[in-house]
Structure formats: C-alpha cells, structure tokens
Amino acid sequence: MPCRIEDYGLIGDCETAALVGRNGSIDWLCWPAFDSDACFAALLGTEKHGRWLIAPAGEVTGTSRRYWDNTLILETRFETTDGAVDLIDFMPPRGKASDVVRLVRGVRGRIRMHMQLVIRFGFGIDIPWVKKSEDGSALLAICGQDMTVLRTPVETRGEDLTTVADFEVGEGETVPFVLTYGPSHLPVPKPINPADALQDTEAFWTEWCSRCSYEGEYRDLVMRSLITLKAQTYAPTGGIVAAPTTSLPEKLGGSRNWDYRFCWLRDATFTLLALTNSGYTEEASAWYRWLLRAAAGSPANMQIMYGIMGQRRLLEWEASWLPGYEGAKPVRVGNAAHAQLQLDVYGELIDAFHQWRVVAKLEMDETSWAMECAVLQHLAEVWDQPDHGIWERRGEGRHYVSSKVMTWVAFDRGIKSAETFGFKAPLEKWRVLRDAIHRDVCARGFDPELNSFVESYGSKMLDASILLLPSVGFLPPEDPRVRGTLVAIERHLMRDGFVLRHDPREAEKQPAEGAFLACTFWLADAYVLSGEFAHAQELFTRVVAIANDLGLLAEEYDTAAKRQTGNFPQALTHIALINTAHNLSAARSTEKPAMQRSK
C-alpha cells in the first residue's frame, strides 16, 4: 500500500515532479512532463504499478527527513540497529535530459541496503523491455516512446520483471543512483556526475530563494510554499499546475478523484499576488505570458483550465487497471470540467491583467487590452446565464453568487484600467452593467433570513467562495451583509476549526469531503480586512499546524481521520498560505493588506 498522503515529499526539475515516501520509495513520477503518463504509479495502486525503493534491508528503528535549507533537495535519515544512513533525493535543473538522483550516504556504522526499481510506463500497465547499454555502463528500460537509463556502480539483477540490488554502505561512503529519461528513438542520454549535479541543484535553489523579498515572521513557511510553487511551474511556458498528481481522493475511499496536472484560470490573480508580493516578478511575467497565450482566441471558447503548454482538449478517461489510492476509484486521467462554463474565469482574467498593471507594474503585451475588451463584450451577453461555479459542479448549471460577483469584478477592473491608463473603452456601457450586476447579486444572492450571501440564487445553502466578496472589493468588509456572511460561514461551514467549501447540510446530495484548506485561509483574509487580526492569526496557525514535517499541504484535510486528502501538494493551498502570511504581516505594520484586490 502507498504511504499516507502527508508522508510524501516533493522533488522536481520545474518540468515534472516526483513524490518520495517516508519509506524511501518514489511512488509517483510522470515523465518527461507533469501531464505525461506516469512511470511510477504505486501511489494509485501497488508496487507492481511502478516504484523505486531504496531503504535499509533490515529493521528501521527510526526515520526523519528534511529539505536542505532553501532547496528542493530531500534528505531522509534511516536509523537501524547497525547504524544510520541518509538517502538524498533530488532532480537537477533540467538540462538536455531529465534525471532523478538518489545518493545513499553512510552516517554511522555499516548498513545493508536494498534497491527495487519497478518501471511501468503508461500509468502502471506497460512493462518495458530491459537491457544493458552497448558499453555495459547502464541499464535501459524501453517501451514505445519512452526510455529510462539507470546508472549506478552497484551490481543489479532482474527478479520477477523488476530490477533489484543489495549493497552495503559504511560511514562516510556515498553510493549514487541516477535514473534518466529520454525518448526511445534518440541516442541514450549522456551520464551526469552525481556530485556535480548535487552542487548545481543546491546552487540553483539557493540563488532562487535569495530573491525572496518577504521578511516577515512566517518567512520559513512562505519560502517553502514559494519553492513548492516554483517546483510546480512548467519552466518552458510559465504554466503552473494545480498539483503534480491525479486522483488523490477528496474523501478517503470516495469517487471524487480528479486530475489536477493542469493550469486553472481560477488561480490567476492569487498566483500573481503571491509571486509579485514576494519579489518574483520574473515568474509572474512568465505566468502572465502563459495566461495571455492560453486565453487567446474567441472569448466564447475561453476555458477554466488549460494544459501546461496551453492545450485545450483535456479529455477525461479512466485507468481501470489501477485500484486507486487506498481503493478510491476511479482513477481519472484528463479533466472533463475543462469544457464547463464558469463565468468567474472572465473576472479572474481581467482582474489579473489589472493587477499586473497596477500592483506588479509589469510591461504587458500590447494585444492584452484588445483581448480584455473582447472578453467584456462577450461577458456582457452571457453574465446572466447559469454556470457550474468555481468548484466545477457537474450536472445542471446554477446562478452561483461567486460567479456573478466575478463578472462584476471583470467590469469593475476593466473600468479602472481604462480610467487609470487612458485606454479606449465603452465606459458608460460597462458602468451600467457593473451596477446592474451588483444590484442583481445583492437582491438575489443575499438571504435576509440567514443574514448571509448564499451559494446560488434561491438557495439556502452556503459556499466558501463567498468569503472572497470583501477581498475582491464587491462590498466593504464592514458592510453588515459581509459581517453576517462571516458569522454564517462560521456557523454552518466550520468543522473542527476548518472551513468546508460545500455546505454539510447538503450532504445527502454531495458526498462529504475534507475541509478545503485554501478556504480557511480565505476566512483569515476576510478577518484581516475586518480588523480582527487575532481571529485571523488563529485560523492561519491552525492550518499551518497540519502541514507535514516538510511544510507541504494537500488540497483538503479530513478532521476526523486527521489526514491530508486530495491532490498533493496543492498549489492553491500554498498560494493562499503565502497571501495570508503577507496580509498578517502587513496588518502588523499597518500597511494595506496584500489581498485587497480592488485597487
């Protein structure tokens, strides 16, 4: 069985990423890119679906792990009765090929070690042909378009369609293993020097982290979240995946298992603020360029998510041979929600472009304003339609309050950009629409009986996305309707101190899931804006306390099982952590909170 979700660490080369278990097993890796097929898929099945284990052969009496300071180099220490050994895992910055390097270093005594390499392409179903390279220095695994190359001084052997090795390591000794990916039709990738690769990787991350401008009291938490965000960035295009995994369940044993290896427009402004407020304007610019290219074309065809290179067809299918994480089926590849109508993405796009101009002060492509005008022209025709909402509800559309609010944001930011920068625009038309949407939401999306905004028009249910109303400037935080909404959220959507995104009173219609961690940060942001800093601090502290020992957070948290759930690590969770940390630090220094998006 795979480890608990929180027992994994992340390594990556800014084009793909792997999950390394506390037990020394790499149980997930899609190669050569985030959205490629997995060659290690034990995370969603068993070891026969692909993994790479390096661990002591005997009993392990204790395990600890850490990232090297300001890097994505993972060190796991195994204690045994015979001594101690470190396993150092990393992926060097991508060169001509992609490598996973594993260094076994003796710390104390002499330790017997075991290595098991199970390569299974195609999400665990395709068994490769394995042979030695012509010069005998490497072991090749080939299947279809894919090839991996294992290089190590340790003697390996084949057993039951796997590659295994037994070896010893003494104090002060280092035994290297390097696994490299290459297309099977090209020459075998050249070897790298593991020691040089380690030095280069440490230098890369250390230099990158040195650019962080955040110096608040949560610097370590923010820095780890920024590294995680960078690791989930596809460097060639600037696209940022929501998570490097698919089908980790929102509810343990459940069926709400989605592929998150894509880029969501929903996260655009949050991502921009997290990067620019932390000093990473280069990454923010790359994200902007990806966003501009991905959304190019007819506004009517704009999607809620795209592939890492801007791909639009993310067709969903099921890998029926995989039993799923702890039996949670089906395992899905691709995401059918890409074809949904979600009106909020139009607001996210226009808001992100506005924030780029006003907050980040970044140079923008001259075509972006023309695109924004086309988007707003289309939105003027469709804003009053039902959609599927920010949470991608499947089934019939509804008039979601947060979707309508984001259409208001679209026109509000369009007006402000035109007024601030002198852009040509039909301002009177936009002002009329902005005011009409505001009246519509306040009349149909607010329930006087509940004294709260609700999930959708006519509903009595709540939805955590309405927490964003004060952050986006729809209403001031001191407005009694906002205050009433915060009280209602606390009353109905809180479970053991964490915020659910869906109303649990709807449980008979919607399977119960864990608390959505980003939403708890959103509640903290709303309290910062309301001046209730102590309450905001309490919420922030509660969420970061359930991060794993490496500082990583998944999408959700099962408060009963006390386990992280959903895809991991989740970019939106770490983005929300960064922004809330900035807000709390700004509140202490009496600055304007960073998440006030209505500038």
Side-chain angles (χ1 to χ4, degrees), residues 19-30:
L19 294 187
V20 186
R22 186 185 292 274
N23 60 353
S25 179
I26 297 180
D27 287 348
W28 183 256
L29 173 59
C30 297

Side-chain angles (χ1 to χ4, degrees), residues 38 92 138 150 155 157 166 186 197 209 248 277 305 326 353 365 400 447 515 563 571-572:
L150 176 67
E155 183 178 348
R157 65 186 186 276
D166 295 291
L186 295 181
C209 291
L248 290 180
N277 288 326
M305 71 181 85
E326 295 190 8
F353 284 176
D365 188 285
Y400 288 99
D447 188 313
R563 291 185 56 183
L572 184 59

Side-chain angles (χ1 to χ4, degrees), residues 178 231 551 581:
V178 180

Side-chain angles (χ1 to χ4, degrees), residues 328-347:
K329 296 188 74 172
V331 170
R332 293 182 172 94
V333 179
N335 199 314
H338 77 274
Q340 289 182 346
L341 172 65
Q342 289 184 21
L343 294 170
D344 65 288
V345 299
Y346 295 102

Side-chain angles (χ1 to χ4, degrees), residues 435-450:
D435 294 345
I437 295 170
H438 200 282
R439 289 193 300 272
D440 190 65
V441 172
C442 291
R444 302 173 65 192
F446 183 81
D447 188 313
E449 190 175 299
L450 294 173

